[in-house]
Amino acid sequence: MSNGPLPDIGTVSTATIDGLSIRYARSGTKEGIPILMTAPWPESIYAFHRVLPKLSVDHPIIAVDLPGYGRSQSRPEVMAPEAMGNFLVVLLAYFDVGRAHVVAPDVGTPAVLFAASKSPRLFESLAVGGGAMRAELAAGPLKDLIYSPPGALANIDGADQMKDYLAQAAKLTPAAIVADFRAASAGRRLEEAVQFVRSYISDLPRLEPQLPSIKTPTLIIAGKNDPIVPPTNGQFLADRLPTNRYLLLDAAHRIWEEAYSAYAEALTKWFGGEYRANG
């Protein structure tokens, strides 16, 4: 039985960036500072299907499946927060973007913070949150994955391993999108993706001392009932980033779906000019 069509999130394409096949969607206006949106794990660019229409009214949008996530190709050397941050700089250059706003929830959070610490001129403002800032601050199945040994998931179908997450997502998310999420973890893709969070153990201690130097205005936005990335992670950032606003929404981890109206409103106000008051 068909899951139906995927929703319209703009023009969906693939491009070879830094030798990897990367899926992305473009939408929005032709003028203005672009918003780069990195998809959360274990989801895809379609996670933003309720949020994109509001943001695209006033901004050019580039939504991206990061390497190893969604339907984008993986490579071991890029599957760590600092390396992914370096990839983001290459990605912006590919799209000829000299300055961008960024929405980077979940695994995108440490990656974009590494990028902003090294290349601050590329970023007008950031919206992050829902990403673990220390390995020990993660919880539930995420913490188990961080501390899992390399290769632990190599011989299982990753989509089956994520069945509980996908079943929960299906309560709010259309079936066609959940099928896209399932494909994102299928086969060995989950093992490849987990390399990234295993690298939290080595990379996050290097990120922490860089946080006070990141002057980019940053909206930290997360779910106050998040069972896998508790709000202590957002407070961790709020205590260290010099120009930030910390906003907790009435949701668990998937704020882009569980609290999409409040999430979209907060992002719209932030990129509409609110970030300047935090600059």
Side-chain angles (χ1 to χ4, degrees), residues 62-74:
I62 306 171
V64 175
D65 283 337
L66 291 173
Y69 296 114
R71 304 302 292 273
S72 289
Q73 189 179 8
S74 179

Side-chain angles (χ1 to χ4, degrees), residues 105-146:
D106 194 72
V107 291
T109 291
V112 78
L113 289 171
F114 265 118
S117 73
K118 297 180 181 183
S119 303
R121 293 184 180 181
L122 284 176
F123 302 102
E124 182 77 4
S125 80
L126 310 176
V128 300
M133 289 295 101
R134 283 180 176 164
E136 65 268 24
L137 294 180
L142 174 59
K143 192 168 187 176
D144 294 339
L145 291 172
I146 291 170

Side-chain angles (χ1 to χ4, degrees), residues 29 41-42 92 96 143 209 241:
T29 63
W41 176 53
L92 288 171
D96 196 26
K143 192 168 187 176
L241 293 171

Side-chain angles (χ1 to χ4, degrees), residues 39-272:
W41 176 53
E43 303 189 15
S44 75
I45 50 177
Y46 286 96
F48 299 123
H49 72 111
R50 299 190 197 276
V51 178
L52 275 167
K54 190 158 188 177
L55 293 179
S56 64
V57 171
D58 296 313
H59 300 273
I61 307 291
I62 306 171
V64 175
D65 283 337
L66 291 173
Y69 296 114
R71 304 302 292 273
S72 289
Q73 189 179 8
S74 179
R75 184 172 66 227
E77 294 81 9
V78 80
M79 297 305 292
E82 185 168 12
M84 193 73 80
N86 295 338
F87 176 84
L88 284 173
V89 174
V90 174
L91 182 144
L92 288 171
Y94 175 87
F95 288 112
D96 196 26
V97 174
R99 194 161 177 87
H101 297 291
V102 180
V103 179
D106 194 72
V107 291
T109 291
V112 78
L113 289 171
F114 265 118
S117 73
K118 297 180 181 183
S119 303
R121 293 184 180 181
L122 284 176
F123 302 102
E124 182 77 4
S125 80
L126 310 176
V128 300
M133 289 295 101
R134 283 180 176 164
E136 65 268 24
L137 294 180
L142 174 59
K143 192 168 187 176
D144 294 339
L145 291 172
I146 291 170
Y147 289 102
S148 66
L153 305 172
N155 297 318
I156 66 170
D157 184 340
D160 289 341
Q161 185 73 14
M162 299 305 295
K163 63 182 180 180
D164 290 344
Y165 184 99
L166 296 171
Q168 185 66 27
K171 294 179 181 180
L172 294 175
T173 304
I177 296 179
V178 173
D180 192 68
F181 295 170
R182 180 178 175 83
S185 294
R188 287 182 55 91
R189 285 186 60 83
L190 180 61
E191 170 63 26
E192 294 170 355
V194 171
Q195 291 181 61
F196 184 92
V197 297
R198 290 185 186 123
S199 296
Y200 284 3
I201 296 169
S202 60
D203 279 25
L204 295 184
R206 294 200 301 272
L207 176 60
E208 182 174 346
Q210 303 304 316
L211 296 176
S213 70
I214 298 173
K215 302 300 195 297
T216 308
T218 302
L219 175 64
I220 306 159
I221 181 168
K224 67 181 181 181
N225 303 310
D226 192 331
I228 60 174
V229 185
T232 49
N233 291 275
Q235 191 61 52
F236 182 94
L237 289 177
D239 291 342
R240 289 163 177 79
L241 293 171
T243 52
N244 75 82
R245 179 186 175 213
Y246 184 24
L247 176 63
L248 282 172
L249 300 182
D250 188 12
H253 184 68
R254 304 179 68 235
I255 57 174
W256 47 88
E257 188 77 286
E258 297 165 355
Y260 70 87
S261 181
Y263 187 57
E265 181 180 6
L267 293 177
T268 300
K269 289 181 177 178
W270 180 256
F271 298 132

